[in-house]
Amino acid sequence: MNRRSFIKSTGIASLGLGLKIDKTYSNNSLSNFPIVIATWDVKNATKRAWEILSSGGNSLDAVEQGCRVEEANKKGQSVGIGGLPDREGNVTLDACIMDYYGNCGSVVYLKEIKHAISVARMVMEKTPHVMLAGEGAKKFAISMGFKKENLLTEKSKKDWIKWKENEEYKPIINIENHDTIGMLAIDKNQNISGGCTTSGLAYKMQGRVGDSPIIGSGLFIDNEVGGAVATGLGEEVLKTVGSFLVVELMRQGYSPSDACKIAVKRIVKKPNSNYKNFQVGYIALNKKGETGTFSIQKGFSMTQYNKEGNINFDSPYYHKQG
Ligand code: ASP
């Protein structure tokens, strides 16, 4: 489907709403592979993944290395070091990774180890399990040579102390205040892998785990079909097994863009859905290297790096206000 028919089929009235359509993502049938896409504006992360893909590397190394860039970025308050803590002041990380053989690895409630994505990869490659949690995950990481460090930066500590003054916990995501890094890549051999890494919701209840490390919710890959990854209010993604749904829709023949859109609609059309107050965004790519994105609210974006460059696109969205 080319850009024109995409606009027609989705009835994008956004032209009339004054949106900058050239910067809003629409299906790009020229993309091909290799290609890497990621949630949010993370050009440094996609750049690192592209270096690997464009020099003939595989999609698994590309997504792992790309995710590590954001995990090491102290300024990002939703991933790796610098992530905002739970209500008790603990920074706990969740991550998962999936390769083109259908193997996967995941860590949840991981403390003091910033590269959760690499620990997830080790779980996949060095253990008979898919998921390790908490103390066990940390112990395993240390046995694999990962170094312990304090993940609570001064800035995140300050923000948490300020939050504690009111302790006003609303289980609603501020639509501008989260940036789980989900990354999908297809390499020159047409193999697809994906990774997802996060510190989860800021000021969550101690012990809370969201969608991001859950295979099928935060991330799903089927190398015959494509891959999808989610960001936003994890509870809503979990309830609809979002990323698996997107991949299954692509299996039925939907484009990545349309599959993301239908998965978003699955959330907003639920009876009593409170969708106006939270954000969920999906990105997806298929076996041909076509990509797509869709979110509930305005403000989500996807970064895409292929031979045409490293570009951040605004995502089309469901909830048109005003
Ligand atoms: N999906 C993440 C979670 O619920 C949050 C996010 O994407 O910001 O933990």
Side-chain angles (χ1 to χ4, degrees):
M1 188 191 285
N2 62 28
R3 180 186 152 126
R4 202 162 155 202
S5 55
F6 172 72
I7 289 170
K8 206 172 144 208
S9 75
T10 54
I12 286 185
S14 40
L15 287 166
L17 291 171
L19 292 174
K20 284 181 261 156
I21 194 76
D22 55 324
K23 279 180 69 192
T24 297
Y25 183 82
S26 61
N27 204 11
N28 179 358
S29 56
L30 296 175
S31 35
N32 256 317
F33 50 88
I35 187 168
V36 56
I37 57 174
T39 53
W40 307 104
D41 190 355
V42 287
K43 293 203 201 74
N44 288 338
T46 46
K47 182 168 171 279
R48 179 72 193 107
W50 177 252
E51 281 163 10
I52 292 165
L53 294 171
S54 59
S55 55
N58 70 51
S59 54
L60 184 65
D61 291 337
V63 296
E64 182 196 2
Q65 293 302 320
C67 287
R68 284 173 66 100
V69 169
E70 286 305 313
E71 287 177 338
N73 175 9
K74 287 189 179 164
K75 288 192 185 143
Q77 289 186 296
S78 302
V79 181
I81 192 160
L84 287 167
D86 66 18
R87 298 172 192 195
E88 327 291 323
N90 305 296
V91 180
T92 64
L93 306 183
D94 299 330
C96 71
I97 197 160
M98 197 160 179
D99 73 10
Y100 35 87
Y101 297 111
N103 297 314
C104 38
S106 159
V107 283
V108 305
Y109 203 79
L110 177 68
K111 286 188 194 170
E112 294 178 291
I113 310 279
K114 72 174 169 233
H115 287 306
I117 195 73
S118 297
V119 184
R121 182 170 176 175
M122 290 280 131
V123 172
M124 173 172 85
E125 292 178 345
K126 308 278 186 212
T127 81
H129 307 304
V130 166
M131 186 181 287
L132 289 181
E135 275 305 303
K138 185 164 84 181
K139 222 166 130 184
F140 168 70
I142 290 165
S143 77
M144 289 284 120
F146 290 83
K147 296 271 165 295
K148 260 171 64 171
E149 64 189 299
N150 177 17
L151 302 181
L152 188 62
T153 55
E154 278 311 307
K155 164 90 176 91
S156 290
K157 192 172 173 184
K158 237 171 99 184
D159 290 351
W160 168 60
I161 289 167
K162 194 163 182 343
W163 173 81
K164 267 161 67 87
E165 284 167 15
N166 295 318
E167 294 216 3
E168 208 188 307
Y169 181 74
K170 300 194 196 99
I172 287 172
I173 273 189
N174 172 337
I175 65 164
E176 305 303 338
N177 186 24
H178 50 87
D179 53 2
T180 289
I181 301 309
M183 193 174 271
L184 303 168
I186 180 165
D187 60 30
K188 71 167 194 331
N189 296 322
Q190 221 179 346
N191 285 324
I192 304 167
S193 302
C196 188
T197 183
T198 190
S199 53
L201 294 187
Y203 319 128
K204 59 198 173 188
M205 284 177 70
Q206 186 171 16
R208 182 264 186 193
V209 171
D211 62 313
S212 304
I214 309 298
I215 300 295
S217 286
L219 169 74
F220 195 70
I221 303 291
D222 183 323
N223 199 40
E224 307 226 315
V225 177
V229 69
T231 182
L233 186 59
E235 281 71 8
E236 296 298 324
V237 178
L238 282 164
K239 287 175 203 165
T240 50
V241 199
S243 293
F244 183 73
L245 174 61
V246 173
V247 172
E248 290 308 299
L249 287 162
M250 291 194 290
R251 191 192 306 280
Q252 289 167 30
Y254 288 100
S255 69
S257 296
D258 286 347
C260 292
K261 189 174 185 183
I262 295 167
V264 160
K265 281 198 177 162
R266 188 71 64 91
I267 295 171
V268 304
K269 297 287 180 196
K270 281 163 84 171
N272 302 325
S273 175
N274 188 25
Y275 74 89
K276 288 184 183 159
N277 294 317
F278 62 82
Q279 174 69 300
V280 168
Y282 291 107
I283 64 170
L285 69 74
N286 67 15
K287 192 70 177 167
K288 291 186 267 181
E290 293 169 338
T291 60
T293 176
F294 202 82
S295 57
I296 298 179
Q297 313 289 347
K298 188 176 177 179
F300 178 50
S301 69
M302 174 178 92
T303 306
Q304 172 169 301
Y305 205 148
N306 64 355
K307 56 187 182 299
E308 287 155 33
N310 195 8
I311 300 167
N312 179 252
F313 297 94
D314 292 338
S315 172
Y317 55 94
Y318 180 84
H319 182 210
K320 308 272 192 293
Q321 290 151 308

